Amino acid sequence: MSVSGLIDSHIHLDDERFDIDRGVLIAEADAAGVTQFIVPAVKADRFNKTVSLQSEKIHVALGLHPYWIADHKESDLTMLESMIDIYDPIAVGECGMDFYIKGLSKSKQQQFFDAQIEIAKQRDLPLILHVRGAVDAVFQRLKRHDYFKAVMHSFNGSAAQAAQIVSQGIYVGMGAAGLNPKATKLHQLIKVMPLSHLMLESDAPDQPFFDKAGERNIPKDLVRICQEMASLKGISYEALATASNNNIKKLFKI
């Protein structure tokens, strides 16, 4: 039960947890029907590794993730700009803000996020956004810069928040977290999320299925994500896969 050419809108293939078997896992995914991947970098010291993965199947983005805000330096923003101009990534990200983890400087997060919005805006590149516990804050920064060419990855906000951001043309990325039997609010969100703005993602190796807790999420798991999300929405696998692929191609121009 697979659709040829399913695209993963968010996967960290550059993660060291994939170093031992990356090629095997990509081949397995391809055989299962997942044939393209978008890989967002998260730190300046990983940019070179991320761009080394660029291929016809693997599209990369470059950004500075809020998790590592304490490590980011002003010079990293300069490096980000130069790497974008050299390697022509499809997006800026993963960037954004995180108010869920305690102890991350909110002011520094905003500073680095604002800078990355402007870098993307100047180059007409989309943003891949991290919004954990910070959907409203991230949306306000986008409004301030009047730039909405973006996807909110791993979205777990409310239906009202989703409606607001979708009204501005922002896309929503969702994966296995919304398919946990206990995630009833996310189930409702998935059911009402318009196909015109929904993207499938694995976020591998993070966010495994509820019945694989403690294990890696792997590239071919996107097939199961599509199957279960389509079932939840009451539509066919093919309908969801096609809509997601079309949205990804439209935003990222791949």
Side-chain angles (χ1 to χ4, degrees):
M1 187 181 178
S2 65
V3 166
S4 176
L6 195 62
I7 306 169
D8 192 335
S9 70
H10 196 107
I11 180 169
H12 297 284
L13 285 173
D14 57 335
D15 192 285
E16 59 273 8
R17 286 169 285 177
F18 286 139
D19 286 351
I20 56 169
D21 55 1
R22 185 177 292 108
V24 171
L25 293 175
I26 290 171
E28 287 179 355
D30 188 79
V34 186
T35 58
Q36 293 187 69
F37 310 91
I38 292 174
V39 180
V42 294
K43 297 176 68 178
D45 63 9
R46 276 179 43 183
F47 287 173
N48 285 320
K49 183 177 183 182
T50 306
V51 298
S52 74
L53 297 176
Q54 274 184 317
S55 69
E56 288 186 1
K57 292 184 177 183
I58 299 174
H59 313 278
V60 306
L62 297 174
L64 301 168
H65 194 299
Y67 274 2
W68 290 277
I69 196 64
D71 298 337
H72 298 330
K73 305 181 293 292
E74 286 284 343
S75 59
D76 293 342
L77 290 168
T78 304
M79 181 181 179
L80 173 61
E81 291 199 79
S82 69
M83 292 287 282
I84 289 171
D85 294 338
I86 294 166
Y87 291 101
D88 195 25
I90 62 165
V92 175
E94 183 174 353
C95 60
M97 293 192 282
D98 189 304
F99 293 169
Y100 180 81
I101 296 179
K102 306 305 178 190
L104 301 179
S105 168
K106 290 185 178 182
S107 60
K108 189 176 178 185
Q109 285 189 61
Q110 182 175 301
Q111 173 196 347
F112 273 74
F113 182 36
D114 281 346
Q116 290 177 90
I117 297 173
E118 282 303 313
I119 288 169
K121 187 174 181 178
Q122 289 164 12
R123 292 162 175 79
D124 194 30
L125 286 172
L127 290 155
I128 297 175
L129 302 174
H130 179 94
V131 298
R132 196 177 188 194
V135 172
D136 289 338
V138 167
F139 186 58
Q140 290 305 316
R141 302 322 297 170
L142 296 177
K143 286 205 293 186
R144 186 178 180 88
H145 292 267
D146 190 29
Y147 197 66
F148 303 101
K149 185 178 288 188
V151 56
M152 288 194 178
H153 138 74
S154 189
F155 187 83
N156 65 349
S158 68
Q161 286 173 319
Q164 184 181 43
I165 66 170
V166 165
S167 74
Q168 291 291 342
I170 299 169
Y171 292 87
V172 169
M174 300 188 78
L179 302 169
N180 188 319
K182 295 179 180 178
T184 53
K185 287 185 179 179
L186 283 178
H187 294 175
Q188 294 306 312
L189 179 61
I190 288 169
K191 288 177 182 177
V192 302
M193 183 63 63
L195 282 178
S196 60
H197 286 79
L198 180 61
M199 291 183 184
L200 297 171
E201 62 171 62
S202 69
D203 198 26
D206 299 314
Q207 298 200 48
F209 276 91
F210 66 95
D211 56 1
K212 293 174 63 178
E215 299 179 29
R216 290 182 307 176
N217 206 359
I218 58 175
K220 71 177 182 181
D221 286 341
L222 192 70
V223 172
R224 180 180 168 189
I225 288 168
C226 188
Q227 289 169 344
E228 295 193 12
M229 201 172 293
S231 178
L232 198 54
K233 287 185 74 64
I235 60 175
S236 70
Y237 177 99
E238 290 76 13
L240 178 55
T242 300
S244 175
N245 279 2
N246 287 343
N247 294 336
I248 294 166
K249 290 174 182 177
K250 183 177 180 182
L251 180 65
F252 297 114
K253 294 183 171 63
I254 60 171

